């Protein structure tokens, strides 16, 4: 008998995706990962976090975590997305 587990998906992005407004100012955007199209819908507060990172940091990365939702023709919908944004520091070149 298998034991119970939890499947969580983490998607990393480093640029602000194009979005569309849906459901009372919520934002939906799409991310292509290994040939699969992931549909992500977030609250305005979460979207503002991405916009702020894009404006404040020259380099940044966002980790979008959620559960795998309904499958679509080309991928799936990410349910319960949560986003964490981090500033990235440019790598220093190794000069001798």
């Amino acid at each position: 008998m298998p034991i119970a587990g939890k499947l969580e998906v983490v998607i990393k992005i480093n640029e602000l995706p194009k979005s569309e407004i849906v459901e009372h100012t919520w934002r939906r955007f799409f991310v292509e990962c290994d040939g699969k199209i992931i549909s992500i819908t977030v609250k305005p507060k979460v979207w503002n976090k991405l916009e702020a990172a894009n404006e404040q940091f020259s380099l940044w990365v966002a980790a979008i975590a959620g559960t795998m939702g309904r499958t679509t023709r080309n991928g799936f919908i990410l349910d319960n997305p949560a986003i964490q944004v981090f500033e990235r520091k440019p790598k220093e070149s190794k000069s001798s």
Side-chain angles (χ1 to χ4, degrees):
M1 289 294 259
I3 63 169
K6 180 180 178 184
L7 176 65
E8 187 171 71
V9 178
V10 177
I11 299 166
K12 294 181 181 178
I13 62 172
N14 60 7
E15 62 184 79
L16 189 65
K18 294 185 192 285
S19 70
E20 58 188 11
I21 297 175
V22 294
E23 302 178 38
H24 309 300
T25 70
W26 285 45
R27 296 284 187 134
R28 178 173 44 213
F29 58 95
F30 300 91
V31 179
E32 187 269 324
C33 297
D34 299 325
K36 302 289 184 199
I37 305 297
I38 316 305
S39 173
I40 304 168
T41 303
V42 295
K43 296 177 183 178
K45 182 177 178 180
V46 175
W47 178 256
N48 292 341
K49 206 188 280 191
L50 283 175
E51 284 187 323
N54 194 53
E55 292 172 6
Q56 293 174 358
F57 308 129
S58 59
L59 294 172
W60 57 273
V61 65
I64 306 168
T67 55
M68 193 172 182
R70 183 176 56 82
T71 59
T72 61
R73 190 178 67 177
N74 298 328
F76 63 92
I77 296 172
L78 188 69
D79 285 341
N80 307 311
I83 297 179
Q84 289 184 300
V85 180
F86 305 95
E87 181 179 14
R88 267 185 26 199
K89 301 290 183 188
K91 292 183 179 180
E92 294 180 22
S93 62
K94 295 180 181 179
S95 57
S96 16

